[in-house]
């Protein structure tokens, strides 16, 4: 299962671990993802999405229906 947000499209980024001696080794920065179930009253069903905490805040602010419509228009949502 990939570590990509279904709403925002956030995915893992690449960076460096930097030691005290300034040695650099590759590492990955993962998004803060949570698997969450949402109820959509228009479709009268539940859907499960893997969303980042930023997407959760957006859903709380605008509502799940508006966020899903915008994400579908951008091509991010798989459902």
């Amino acid at each position: 299962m990939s570590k990509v947000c279904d709403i925002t499209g956030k995915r893992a980024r690449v960076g460096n671990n930097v030691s005290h001696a300034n040695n650099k080794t590759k590492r990955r920065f993962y998004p803060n993802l949570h698997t969450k179930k949402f109820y959509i009253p228009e479709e009268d069903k539940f859907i499960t999405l893997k969303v980042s905490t930023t997407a959760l805040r957006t859903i709380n602010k605008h509502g799940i229906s508006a966020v899903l419509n915008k994400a579908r228009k951008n091509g991010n949502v798989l459902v």
Side-chain angles (χ1 to χ4, degrees):
M1 203 173 242
S2 63
K3 297 181 181 179
V4 179
C5 177
D6 290 334
I7 300 293
T8 61
K10 284 187 176 193
R11 54 183 60 238
R13 300 188 56 143
V14 178
N16 287 313
N17 279 327
V18 181
S19 70
H20 183 67
N22 207 27
N23 298 329
K24 294 171 183 75
T25 56
K26 285 290 187 186
R27 62 159 293 183
R28 297 188 72 180
F29 293 96
Y30 293 107
N32 190 6
L33 295 179
H34 300 277
T35 303
K36 191 113 171 73
K37 229 180 201 179
F38 296 99
Y39 176 71
I40 304 168
E42 289 83 14
E43 300 174 15
D44 194 35
K45 67 176 185 178
F46 283 91
I47 60 166
T48 303
L49 295 174
K50 191 184 290 189
V51 292
S52 62
T53 52
T54 307
L56 275 176
R57 289 171 55 106
T58 306
I59 290 168
N60 286 338
K61 184 175 182 179
H62 299 291
I64 184 67
S65 299
V67 173
L68 273 180
N69 289 338
K70 186 174 181 183
R72 284 182 180 138
K73 198 183 300 182
N74 293 340
N76 287 346
V77 175
L78 303 173
V79 177

